[in-house]
Amino acid sequence: MGFGSRDVDKGVVLVLGGRSEIGLEVARRLSPGRVVILAARRSDQLQEQTRELLIAEAAAVHCVEFDADDMASHQPLLEKIVAEHGRIGVAVVAFGILGDQARAEADPAHAVEIVTTDYVAQVSVLTALANLLREQGDGQIVVFSSIAGVRVRRANYVYGSAKTGLDGFATGLQMALHGSGVHLLMVRSGFVIGRMTAGMEPAPLSSTPDQVADAVVAGLYRRARDVAVPRRIRLMFLAMRYVPYSLWRRMPR
């Protein structure tokens, strides 16, 4: 397949956030001969996503109800998936919301909603996943950070702060998993053109869900610690840290 000599870990492909464009593209690339689990709210409405994965030669596709913000349900759900479908090979943590920055500045409840889904809920499900995969002795986890978390900007600081927290947590978890047989891949992308950003002006070094998914699958095959999409955005990540505050606070989204 051009990704190197190693394969991804055997087992089901789990997409937490079963409507995510990126998550589905990753699943599509991994699906031939594998069982895919799509976890999302209104899971009974995932017929189109199921059909696409079956066309991509998934062995089977199962849809399960998943509310990211219902953190008490995370561990029981994961345990149920393993009990019914077997070990997890790849878990793609693809849920999240962009939210409305202007609304979040005026409405504390909305600010908390963004941070809960994009950080707190991710901490919960990642901890449960890591413990489960440690017991297996293998398995791979995909976590999506963002350029927004590299250095928080005025224009989207609520979302950006959640991504900064997630990036730090996942980096620490990655170190904690060293030697356990579990692989965590951190994905740091720039602006991704898709449903989540519909109506927004694409930023420089934008990418598409297809491009992100290609990078994710390549990173899984070579057991990379992190991937940047597109690759050249790493230079932007470095440069961002040195922009003076007086200029940075005027930066657009």
Side-chain angles (χ1 to χ4, degrees), residues 25-153:
E25 289 300 331
V26 173
R28 191 199 310 275
R29 286 156 175 75
L30 299 176
S31 63
R34 289 177 176 259
V35 173
V36 179
I37 310 292
L38 299 180
R41 291 174 176 168
R42 305 181 306 283
S43 59
D44 59 340
Q45 298 175 21
L46 293 172
Q47 294 90 345
E48 180 180 347
Q49 292 85 351
T50 297
R51 183 167 54 251
E52 291 176 2
L53 294 172
L54 290 173
I55 290 171
E57 301 183 347
V61 180
H62 302 282
C63 302
V64 299
E65 195 66 19
F66 171 66
D67 181 350
D69 293 343
D70 180 9
M71 285 164 270
S73 72
H74 291 174
Q75 185 166 326
L77 175 65
L78 294 171
E79 291 173 351
K80 185 172 187 286
I81 288 170
V82 172
E84 294 182 357
H85 304 289
R87 66 196 300 112
I88 295 172
V90 179
V92 184
V93 183
F95 63 85
I97 60 174
L98 187 59
D100 183 313
Q101 174 66 31
R103 179 184 164 196
E105 291 185 32
D107 179 3
H110 186 54
V112 170
E113 178 186 13
I114 295 168
V115 174
T116 297
T117 302
D118 292 344
Y119 177 60
V120 180
Q122 303 250 351
V123 168
S124 172
V125 81
L126 284 170
T127 300
L129 266 174
N131 290 336
L132 188 153
L133 297 185
R134 275 194 189 99
E135 291 181 10
Q136 285 188 179
D138 64 0
Q140 296 177 272
I141 303 170
V142 180
V143 179
F144 292 98
S145 182
S146 167
I147 189 173
V150 174
R151 187 178 178 186
V152 174
R153 283 166 284 181

Side-chain angles (χ1 to χ4, degrees), residues 238-253:
L238 180 64
M240 284 166 57
R241 301 183 188 278
Y242 296 99
V243 176
Y245 173 82
S246 59
L247 295 177
W248 188 253
R249 65 186 176 86
R250 296 184 176 89
M251 291 291 289
R253 181 183 292 275

